[in-house]
Amino acid sequence: MPSNHIQRINDDIQRALASLLREVKDPRVQQGDLLSIVRTETTGDLRYCTVYLSVLGDVNEKELKKGLKSCGGWLRHELGASLSLRYTPELIFELDRSIEHGAHINDIIRRLDGAAPGAGGNE
C-alpha cells in the first residue's frame, strides 16, 4: 500500500490528467464513448507513473495506445506545469478492463437469474 504522500500525488496526477485528456485533439485518443482514468500508481522515486484507463464503447486499443504514447510528452509537460513536483514522472498507459469485466459478470448473473427454476412461474 502506498504511503499517504504517494497516494496524494497519485490523486493529484489522476485529477490533472483527467482534465488534460479532454484537451487532447488526437482522434486516436478521442475514440469511444467515454475515456476515464481508473487509477494511477506512481513509483516511490516519482520517476514513473502507470495510468490505468477505462474506455467504454467501440475502440481500437492499438490505435488508442499509439495516440496516448504520441501525446505522452505533452501530457507530461502540462502535468509538470500544473503540479509542483521535483520530478514529473514518465507516464505509462495501461487499459483497465475491470469495468468491462464487471459488466460481463453482471450480464452472466442476470441471464442465470432469468434461467433459474421457478423464475418463469413454471413450478
Side-chain angles (χ1 to χ4, degrees), residues 6-25:
I6 296 293
Q7 188 57 50
R8 278 197 313 271
I9 290 172
N10 284 336
D11 292 342
D12 290 345
I13 290 173
Q14 183 174 350
R15 221 173 291 113
L17 283 177
S19 67
L20 288 171
L21 279 175
R22 285 187 227 120
E23 298 176 23
V24 173
K25 303 290 188 235

Side-chain angles (χ1 to χ4, degrees), residues 43-58:
T43 58
D45 61 358
L46 302 179
R47 297 290 185 178
Y48 299 95
C49 178
T50 305
V51 180
Y52 294 92
L53 299 162
S54 176
V55 183
L56 294 177
D58 292 332

Side-chain angles (χ1 to χ4, degrees), residues 21 24-37 51-72 75 92-97 100:
L21 279 175
V24 173
K25 303 290 188 235
D26 193 329
R28 296 174 295 186
V29 176
Q30 297 303 329
Q31 59 181 323
D33 297 332
L34 178 67
L35 177 69
S36 60
I37 299 174
V51 180
Y52 294 92
L53 299 162
S54 176
V55 183
L56 294 177
D58 292 332
V59 64
N60 182 339
E61 293 179 13
K62 193 172 185 179
E63 288 298 313
L64 175 64
K65 281 196 161 191
K66 282 183 184 178
L68 288 168
K69 188 171 185 174
S70 172
C71 70
L75 288 170
I92 302 164
F93 295 99
E94 294 292 331
L95 293 179
D96 186 329
R97 292 178 174 70
E100 179 183 319

